[in-house]
Amino acid sequence: MNAILEQLSKFGVVPVVVLNEVKDAEPLAKALCEGGLPCAEVTFRTAAAEESIRTMTEKFPEMLVGAGTVLTTEQVDRAVAAGAKFIVSPGFDPEIVDYCLNKDILVLPGCVTPSEVAQGVKRGLKVLKFFPAEQYGGVSTIKAMAAAYVGIKFMPTGGINPKNVKDYLTCDKIFACGGSWMVKGDLIAAGEFDKIKTLTEEAVALVKEVR
């Protein structure tokens, strides 16, 4: 589990992907890998999510693929069976968190309040998602909460883009950022995977400027 966290931290940015068609999973994964970011959080917002995770992990075994927007334990099982190496939820659902911990599955639950962070601390979690980041005060809120919970790092997601990602990554309490700007739905739908590769390369360069 720690090895997965180390990988995510090195990437600095985790592409948050919404796939409506399974056919797009392979070219998208190829674009991310060639762009230098062999990582994706595939959200369980669509019917294509499970099979897309399976396709990515089978075709590109070097990729670190997780499942996002996981709302039930049944989705946890489906995601892991498809090859997901980590689970991300938008909020702190104790049932999902405890289920993952009991099965030794890396879980990054969403938090925006000290009370939610406290629930993560109680369970021994070291990294929590902060979502939606920009709407809940961004870096300043994370710094304020991290002052009280010194052992916790955060993965902010929501409203992060090339203009503000460096502000987040310069904070030592931020583990990595979730972002969708390099994998926008309209680019995927239009088959503009070369553009996605270019945006991915630019995201990698931004990370290298501050880490």
Side-chain angles (χ1 to χ4, degrees):
M1 193 179 292
N2 286 338
I4 297 172
L5 284 175
E6 283 176 22
Q7 258 187 295
L8 289 172
S9 181
K10 283 178 183 175
F11 291 138
V13 172
V14 179
V16 180
V17 177
V18 179
L19 283 165
N20 293 304
E21 304 282 348
V22 175
K23 67 178 177 60
D24 293 326
E26 185 174 349
L28 177 66
K30 184 172 184 284
L32 289 171
C33 288
E34 290 181 351
L37 203 51
C39 174
E41 175 193 323
V42 180
T43 63
F44 254 69
R45 299 178 195 176
T46 71
E50 182 180 355
E51 196 57 39
S52 294
I53 290 172
R54 184 172 285 109
T55 296
M56 286 180 164
T57 55
E58 288 178 357
K59 299 287 186 180
F60 296 89
E62 71 274 25
M63 272 194 87
L64 181 56
V65 182
T69 323
V70 173
L71 305 179
T72 66
T73 56
E74 184 255 348
Q75 287 180 335
V76 172
D77 289 337
R78 286 168 51 204
V80 171
K85 296 295 189 291
F86 59 97
I87 298 295
V88 185
S89 59
F92 197 99
D93 184 324
E95 181 186 9
I96 290 175
V97 174
D98 293 341
Y99 187 78
C100 288
L101 291 175
N102 288 335
K103 288 181 171 282
D104 202 27
I105 300 164
L106 176 62
V107 60
L108 302 167
C111 299
V112 288
T113 68
S115 296
E116 291 167 331
V117 175
Q119 291 297 308
V121 171
K122 182 188 289 187
R123 289 165 170 80
L125 298 179
K126 299 298 182 188
V127 179
L128 300 168
K129 177 178 178 174
F130 183 72
F131 174 81
E134 281 291 284
Q135 291 84 349
Y136 275 88
V139 180
S140 59
T141 300
I142 289 172
K143 285 180 177 177
M145 286 205 295
Y149 296 104
V150 294
I152 294 290
K153 290 199 173 186
F154 296 89
M155 184 172 82
T157 305
I160 296 174
N161 56 60
K163 292 180 180 178
N164 62 16
V165 67
K166 289 202 291 184
D167 293 336
Y168 280 93
L169 291 175
T170 51
C171 173
D172 64 356
K173 295 300 182 181
I174 289 175
F175 166 80
C177 292
S180 59
W181 75 87
M182 75 295 289
V183 288
K184 285 184 177 177
D186 57 345
L187 293 176
I188 295 171
E192 294 188 49
F193 298 106
D194 286 342
K195 176 67 171 173
I196 289 171
K197 177 186 171 184
T198 299
L199 290 170
T200 302
E201 289 171 339
E202 290 170 359
V204 171
L206 285 172
V207 174
K208 287 181 177 175
E209 284 180 29
V210 293
R211 288 196 165 182

